[in-house]
Amino acid sequence: MMKTSRILAATAAAVLAATPLLAQQGPEAQAMKARQGMMQFYAMNLGVLGAMAKGERDYDAAAASAAAGNIAGVAQLNMSMLWPQGSDDMSLDGSRALPAIWENMADVGAKSAAMREAALAMQAAAGTDLASLQAAMGALGGACGDCHKAYRTPQ
């Protein structure tokens, strides 16, 4: 219990220390940082699933279910606040979002819906067995790639 209290206190102190820095950033920069964190979270969980699908990591139903559940959970969130105009790569250093996002929101919405569907399918499949995880991986990776190819600056 004491260790948990220390961790919570340290976390609270870090958040309070960072708050003035975040307040100095405009809302576009804050949104960009938040969505970059979300994308890193997606990537971490996709890495677990991808490694299993490729045989680089032993299949583990519990770990696959957890990773797929994380992806599906985040995919269900309303992320509109993370995409304000002015948070593209032409407006903010560090952004990889192309201005085309705001020119074709209907397509972005369709790609987001496809991502949600693929994430839910992966969530249903991941803990079943390796073959089911592998079968769901193409649609999930494809949904991510479809949006990134159209709306993200290549590295």
mmCIF file of all heavy atoms in Angstrom, residues 111-130:
data_model
loop_
_atom_site.group_PDB
_atom_site.id
_atom_site.type_symbol
_atom_site.label_atom_id
_atom_site.label_comp_id
_atom_site.label_asym_id
_atom_site.label_seq_id
_atom_site.Cartn_x
_atom_site.Cartn_y
_atom_site.Cartn_z
ATOM 1 N N LYS A 111 -12.592 5.807 -42.960
ATOM 2 C CA LYS A 111 -11.385 5.058 -42.577
ATOM 3 C C LYS A 111 -11.384 4.782 -41.067
ATOM 4 O O LYS A 111 -10.963 3.706 -40.628
ATOM 5 C CB LYS A 111 -10.131 5.805 -43.019
ATOM 6 C CG LYS A 111 -9.907 5.734 -44.528
ATOM 7 C CD LYS A 111 -8.687 6.518 -44.943
ATOM 8 C CE LYS A 111 -8.348 6.479 -46.404
ATOM 9 N NZ LYS A 111 -9.200 5.896 -47.370
ATOM 10 N N SER A 112 -11.858 5.720 -40.280
ATOM 11 C CA SER A 112 -11.963 5.503 -38.830
ATOM 12 C C SER A 112 -12.961 4.393 -38.516
ATOM 13 O O SER A 112 -12.717 3.561 -37.642
ATOM 14 C CB SER A 112 -12.394 6.793 -38.126
ATOM 15 O OG SER A 112 -11.393 7.769 -38.238
ATOM 16 N N ALA A 113 -14.068 4.373 -39.230
ATOM 17 C CA ALA A 113 -15.070 3.316 -39.031
ATOM 18 C C ALA A 113 -14.488 1.952 -39.394
ATOM 19 O O ALA A 113 -14.720 0.955 -38.683
ATOM 20 C CB ALA A 113 -16.326 3.613 -39.853
ATOM 21 N N ALA A 114 -13.720 1.889 -40.470
ATOM 22 C CA ALA A 114 -13.085 0.630 -40.860
ATOM 23 C C ALA A 114 -12.088 0.177 -39.798
ATOM 24 O O ALA A 114 -11.982 -1.025 -39.502
ATOM 25 C CB ALA A 114 -12.392 0.789 -42.210
ATOM 26 N N MET A 115 -11.370 1.122 -39.208
ATOM 27 C CA MET A 115 -10.429 0.803 -38.132
ATOM 28 C C MET A 115 -11.179 0.218 -36.943
ATOM 29 O O MET A 115 -10.752 -0.774 -36.347
ATOM 30 C CB MET A 115 -9.656 2.069 -37.741
ATOM 31 C CG MET A 115 -8.837 1.954 -36.482
ATOM 32 S SD MET A 115 -7.573 0.690 -36.575
ATOM 33 C CE MET A 115 -6.880 0.834 -34.940
ATOM 34 N N ARG A 116 -12.296 0.836 -36.557
ATOM 35 C CA ARG A 116 -13.081 0.330 -35.427
ATOM 36 C C ARG A 116 -13.565 -1.086 -35.695
ATOM 37 O O ARG A 116 -13.492 -1.947 -34.829
ATOM 38 C CB ARG A 116 -14.266 1.250 -35.133
ATOM 39 C CG ARG A 116 -13.899 2.485 -34.343
ATOM 40 C CD ARG A 116 -15.113 3.259 -33.863
ATOM 41 N NE ARG A 116 -15.933 3.773 -34.963
ATOM 42 C CZ ARG A 116 -15.666 4.883 -35.636
ATOM 43 N NH1 ARG A 116 -14.609 5.604 -35.327
ATOM 44 N NH2 ARG A 116 -16.458 5.277 -36.605
ATOM 45 N N GLU A 117 -14.065 -1.330 -36.901
ATOM 46 C CA GLU A 117 -14.556 -2.664 -37.253
ATOM 47 C C GLU A 117 -13.431 -3.692 -37.204
ATOM 48 O O GLU A 117 -13.604 -4.801 -36.670
ATOM 49 C CB GLU A 117 -15.186 -2.652 -38.645
ATOM 50 C CG GLU A 117 -16.504 -1.907 -38.701
ATOM 51 C CD GLU A 117 -17.053 -1.794 -40.122
ATOM 52 O OE1 GLU A 117 -16.705 -2.645 -40.972
ATOM 53 O OE2 GLU A 117 -17.820 -0.851 -40.371
ATOM 54 N N ALA A 118 -12.282 -3.352 -37.754
ATOM 55 C CA ALA A 118 -11.139 -4.272 -37.751
ATOM 56 C C ALA A 118 -10.638 -4.516 -36.326
ATOM 57 O O ALA A 118 -10.254 -5.637 -35.985
ATOM 58 C CB ALA A 118 -10.019 -3.719 -38.627
ATOM 59 N N ALA A 119 -10.657 -3.478 -35.504
ATOM 60 C CA ALA A 119 -10.219 -3.628 -34.111
ATOM 61 C C ALA A 119 -11.168 -4.543 -33.339
ATOM 62 O O ALA A 119 -10.720 -5.386 -32.549
ATOM 63 C CB ALA A 119 -10.129 -2.254 -33.439
ATOM 64 N N LEU A 120 -12.456 -4.404 -33.558
ATOM 65 C CA LEU A 120 -13.426 -5.277 -32.890
ATOM 66 C C LEU A 120 -13.295 -6.715 -33.380
ATOM 67 O O LEU A 120 -13.415 -7.662 -32.582
ATOM 68 C CB LEU A 120 -14.847 -4.751 -33.088
ATOM 69 C CG LEU A 120 -15.158 -3.452 -32.353
ATOM 70 C CD1 LEU A 120 -16.521 -2.905 -32.775
ATOM 71 C CD2 LEU A 120 -15.085 -3.643 -30.842
ATOM 72 N N ALA A 121 -13.031 -6.895 -34.673
ATOM 73 C CA ALA A 121 -12.821 -8.242 -35.203
ATOM 74 C C ALA A 121 -11.563 -8.866 -34.597
ATOM 75 O O ALA A 121 -11.555 -10.053 -34.242
ATOM 76 C CB ALA A 121 -12.723 -8.204 -36.724
ATOM 77 N N MET A 122 -10.505 -8.071 -34.452
ATOM 78 C CA MET A 122 -9.279 -8.573 -33.819
ATOM 79 C C MET A 122 -9.543 -8.914 -32.364
ATOM 80 O O MET A 122 -9.070 -9.938 -31.865
ATOM 81 C CB MET A 122 -8.153 -7.548 -33.934
ATOM 82 C CG MET A 122 -6.866 -7.980 -33.218
ATOM 83 S SD MET A 122 -6.174 -9.554 -33.769
ATOM 84 C CE MET A 122 -5.265 -9.025 -35.204
ATOM 85 N N GLN A 123 -10.305 -8.096 -31.680
ATOM 86 C CA GLN A 123 -10.619 -8.368 -30.276
ATOM 87 C C GLN A 123 -11.332 -9.713 -30.145
ATOM 88 O O GLN A 123 -11.044 -10.481 -29.239
ATOM 89 C CB GLN A 123 -11.469 -7.246 -29.694
ATOM 90 C CG GLN A 123 -11.742 -7.404 -28.209
ATOM 91 C CD GLN A 123 -12.566 -6.258 -27.658
ATOM 92 O OE1 GLN A 123 -13.379 -5.653 -28.357
ATOM 93 N NE2 GLN A 123 -12.370 -5.953 -26.390
ATOM 94 N N ALA A 124 -12.232 -10.005 -31.056
ATOM 95 C CA ALA A 124 -12.964 -11.276 -31.028
ATOM 96 C C ALA A 124 -12.057 -12.451 -31.370
ATOM 97 O O ALA A 124 -12.253 -13.558 -30.853
ATOM 98 C CB ALA A 124 -14.147 -11.221 -31.988
ATOM 99 N N ALA A 125 -11.056 -12.225 -32.223
ATOM 100 C CA ALA A 125 -10.222 -13.313 -32.722
ATOM 101 C C ALA A 125 -8.965 -13.576 -31.907
ATOM 102 O O ALA A 125 -8.520 -14.727 -31.799
ATOM 103 C CB ALA A 125 -9.815 -13.010 -34.165
ATOM 104 N N ALA A 126 -8.384 -12.551 -31.347
ATOM 105 C CA ALA A 126 -7.024 -12.634 -30.800
ATOM 106 C C ALA A 126 -6.827 -13.713 -29.755
ATOM 107 O O ALA A 126 -5.801 -14.397 -29.751
ATOM 108 C CB ALA A 126 -6.604 -11.275 -30.237
ATOM 109 N N GLY A 127 -7.759 -13.868 -28.855
ATOM 110 C CA GLY A 127 -7.596 -14.843 -27.781
ATOM 111 C C GLY A 127 -8.036 -16.243 -28.149
ATOM 112 O O GLY A 127 -7.901 -17.169 -27.343
ATOM 113 N N THR A 128 -8.552 -16.426 -29.362
ATOM 114 C CA THR A 128 -9.061 -17.729 -29.788
ATOM 115 C C THR A 128 -7.922 -18.699 -30.075
ATOM 116 O O THR A 128 -7.826 -19.754 -29.465
ATOM 117 C CB THR A 128 -9.947 -17.569 -31.047
ATOM 118 O OG1 THR A 128 -10.981 -16.637 -30.748
ATOM 119 C CG2 THR A 128 -10.553 -18.890 -31.467
ATOM 120 N N ASP A 129 -7.094 -18.350 -31.023
ATOM 121 C CA ASP A 129 -5.918 -19.146 -31.374
ATOM 122 C C ASP A 129 -5.066 -18.339 -32.345
ATOM 123 O O ASP A 129 -5.479 -17.283 -32.831
ATOM 124 C CB ASP A 129 -6.296 -20.518 -31.959
ATOM 125 C CG ASP A 129 -7.196 -20.436 -33.177
ATOM 126 O OD1 ASP A 129 -7.037 -19.500 -33.998
ATOM 127 O OD2 ASP A 129 -8.069 -21.306 -33.317
ATOM 128 N N LEU A 130 -3.869 -18.853 -32.638
ATOM 129 C CA LEU A 130 -2.937 -18.129 -33.497
ATOM 130 C C LEU A 130 -3.505 -17.936 -34.896
ATOM 131 O O LEU A 130 -3.377 -16.842 -35.478
ATOM 132 C CB LEU A 130 -1.596 -18.862 -33.567
ATOM 133 C CG LEU A 130 -0.524 -18.227 -34.454
ATOM 134 C CD1 LEU A 130 -0.218 -16.796 -34.014
ATOM 135 C CD2 LEU A 130 0.737 -19.079 -34.458
#
